[in-house]
Each structure stands twice: as C-alpha cells, then as structure tokens.
Amino acid sequence: MILKVIVVDDEPLAVNVIKNYILRVKELQLEGTFSNAMDASTFLRDNPVDIMFLDINMPYLNGLEFLSTLHQKPFVIMTTAHEEHALKSFELEAIDYLVKPISLPRFFKSVDRVIGLKQGVNKIVNDKDEKPSIFVKVDKKKLQKIFLDEIMVIESLKDYIRIITPTAKYIIHKTLSSFTDELPGDNFIRIHRSYTIAVDKVSVVEGNSVEIGGIRYTIGRSYLNDAKSRILKDLNE
C-alpha cells in the first residue's frame, strides 16, 4: 500500500525535515510541497491525496481556514509551533497534531496511525470462523464492524452515505459508487443514483419500486430492467 502525501508549509526548514522523514517510510510517496493554501487547493482538485501535512501559520489563508474549506479531506496531520490550536484542529477533523520541532518517533507514530486507518477502512474481512464483515470509519477515531448480511440499503448523501441495517444506521464519508464497488456483487445492486440495496432483503417488488424493511425505494429508470431482472431472479430461486 502506497499513500500519496503532500506538505503545505511556508517554512523551508520544516518542509525539509518532513520530506526527509517521509523518505524513511516505504508506504509514503511525496507528491508535492506547497508554501500556501491556494496552490495546495489547486493541486487537490485534480490529484488524489491520502495524507496532507498542514502548517497553520501561512500567508493569505492559514491552515485552519484552509482546512475548513475542504469538503473531501485527505487524512490531515497538522504541523505547527503553537499548541493552542489543537482543539480547533480536531474539530475540523485533523487526524493528528504535531508540534514543531517534530521528532522522528512522533512522526512515525502519527503516520503509523494513518496507515492503520487506511488498512482498516472499508476492508472486507472473510474469516473462516466468522461471517463476512466490513470495517468503516464512522468518526475521526472509530472503526465500526458491520456484517455484510445485515446491510439492507446504502443511501447516497452527496459526499457521504448512510448504511442501513435492521438495528442501526451509520453515516460515513464515502461516495455511493465507490462503496458499492467494494461490496460483493452477488448480493448488492445499484437501483438508483441514490440507492444500493441488498437483493436478499427485498420483500416486495411493485412497479418501479421495491420494499425493504417496510420502506419503499424507487428504482431509477436507467436501472429498472437490470434491477428487476436480477431481483426477481433471486426471489424465484
């Protein structure tokens, strides 16, 4: 697993320190360094990034202001000489807060945490002694295990999705398309731009809708033929 990294900091010495640390971690690949938030924002629009090391004191737009503008955030590790901004950083969903001068052990600890989260998020587990499950990140620090056979519906909420089970609902930062692609295709099917369903949870098919858990879900026009064919086939088997 290779994680793409950028550094946003206008202090050349600090940038060099972080760059040298990055080179020591085989899982990290430096994609660029930026001395201001505007240049970093332009890069992020067109390039996928896993980790951003972000300083707070920068020209034009400080790190906290920049972070608050991002809708889809990579894992953000704040790098600053000031301890007093830690609470605000975590409120903005920074994953860690490193105070300069940054030591190598502290850097490794922060990066190792991100690597662990990346390995755990949306990782389907197929243990021979346990039902297949998936881990999803439901907040900054918590990974939630969900058994696949409990998922009824996944609903799109723009940049987020809602996973619905008989006992709970989980909201995670993920698009419906990317999450659906990670699920086994033998039971999960997209029926609408806003819905992916578990075929075996369908109790009623009527017109251009299905019923799951007592709730009706519309099948989109472009999905109708394939969805009904697949659902009815499974219901008749």
Side-chain angles (χ1 to χ4, degrees), residues 8-12 14-15 34-37 54-66 78-85 89 97 100:
V8 186
D9 194 321
D10 70 337
E11 297 180 24
V15 172
F34 306 91
S35 61
N36 62 78
L54 177 62
D55 189 19
I56 291 179
N57 293 325
M58 290 187 299
Y60 312 122
L61 190 69
N62 70 45
L64 294 176
E65 293 169 335
F66 175 43
M78 304 302 297
T79 58
T80 177
H82 306 283
E83 296 183 6
E84 64 268 22
H85 299 298
S89 297
Y97 190 93
K100 300 175 182 177

Side-chain angles (χ1 to χ4, degrees), residues 174-212:
K174 194 83 171 177
T175 65
L176 182 60
S177 294
S178 60
F179 189 79
T180 300
D181 288 344
E182 294 168 357
L183 295 172
D186 58 340
N187 190 45
F188 293 94
I189 183 172
R190 185 85 172 261
I191 65 164
H192 190 278
R193 64 182 181 180
S194 297
Y195 303 115
T196 290
I197 66 166
V199 174
D200 66 349
K201 300 300 189 293
V202 174
S203 58
V204 176
V205 179
E206 183 177 350
N208 66 336
S209 68
V210 295
E211 184 175 313
I212 299 176

Side-chain angles (χ1 to χ4, degrees), residues 25-219:
V25 183
K26 65 180 181 179
E27 291 91 350
L28 302 185
Q29 177 177 303
L30 182 63
E31 296 293 300
T33 63
F34 306 91
S35 61
N36 62 78
M38 276 70 81
D39 290 343
S41 179
T42 299
F43 182 85
L44 286 172
R45 281 197 293 268
D46 300 317
N47 299 275
V49 169
D50 298 296
I51 304 173
M52 175 168 63
F53 290 92
L54 177 62
D55 189 19
I56 291 179
N57 293 325
M58 290 187 299
Y60 312 122
L61 190 69
N62 70 45
L64 294 176
E65 293 169 335
F66 175 43
L67 186 55
S68 70
T69 68
L70 297 178
H71 297 294
Q72 290 188 312
K73 300 180 179 71
F75 285 104
V76 176
I77 299 173
M78 304 302 297
T79 58
T80 177
H82 306 283
E83 296 183 6
E84 64 268 22
H85 299 298
L87 178 59
K88 183 62 176 177
S89 297
F90 290 124
E91 288 176 351
L92 293 172
E93 299 183 343
I95 197 70
D96 208 347
Y97 190 93
L98 303 183
V99 178
K100 300 175 182 177
I102 301 168
S103 69
L104 183 59
R106 184 65 181 85
F107 175 89
F108 280 165
K109 182 177 180 180
S110 186
V111 168
D112 187 61
R113 180 182 180 193
V114 175
I115 291 172
L117 287 171
K118 289 293 289 185
Q119 289 175 335
V121 172
N122 299 333
K123 180 180 179 182
I124 292 179
V125 177
N126 288 286
D127 191 292
K128 65 180 181 179
D129 298 321
E130 188 175 77
K131 297 184 298 183
S133 60
I134 190 167
F135 281 91
V136 297
K137 185 158 71 83
V138 296
D139 60 28
K140 296 190 292 289
K141 300 178 181 180
K142 181 180 178 182
L143 290 172
Q144 175 70 47
K145 177 192 283 188
I146 304 175
F147 291 109
L148 296 185
D149 66 0
E150 294 182 355
I151 297 175
M152 301 165 64
V153 177
I154 306 103
E155 178 184 1
S156 174
L157 304 172
K158 293 187 177 179
D159 295 330
Y160 292 79
I161 58 172
R162 179 186 289 117
I163 302 172
I164 301 171
T165 73
T167 58
K169 297 178 181 179
Y170 306 97
I171 294 178
I172 68 170
H173 190 215
K174 194 83 171 177
T175 65
L176 182 60
S177 294
S178 60
F179 189 79
T180 300
D181 288 344
E182 294 168 357
L183 295 172
D186 58 340
N187 190 45
F188 293 94
I189 183 172
R190 185 85 172 261
I191 65 164
H192 190 278
R193 64 182 181 180
S194 297
Y195 303 115
T196 290
I197 66 166
V199 174
D200 66 349
K201 300 300 189 293
V202 174
S203 58
V204 176
V205 179
E206 183 177 350
N208 66 336
S209 68
V210 295
E211 184 175 313
I212 299 176
I215 298 175
R216 289 292 178 115
Y217 296 92
T218 300
I219 304 174

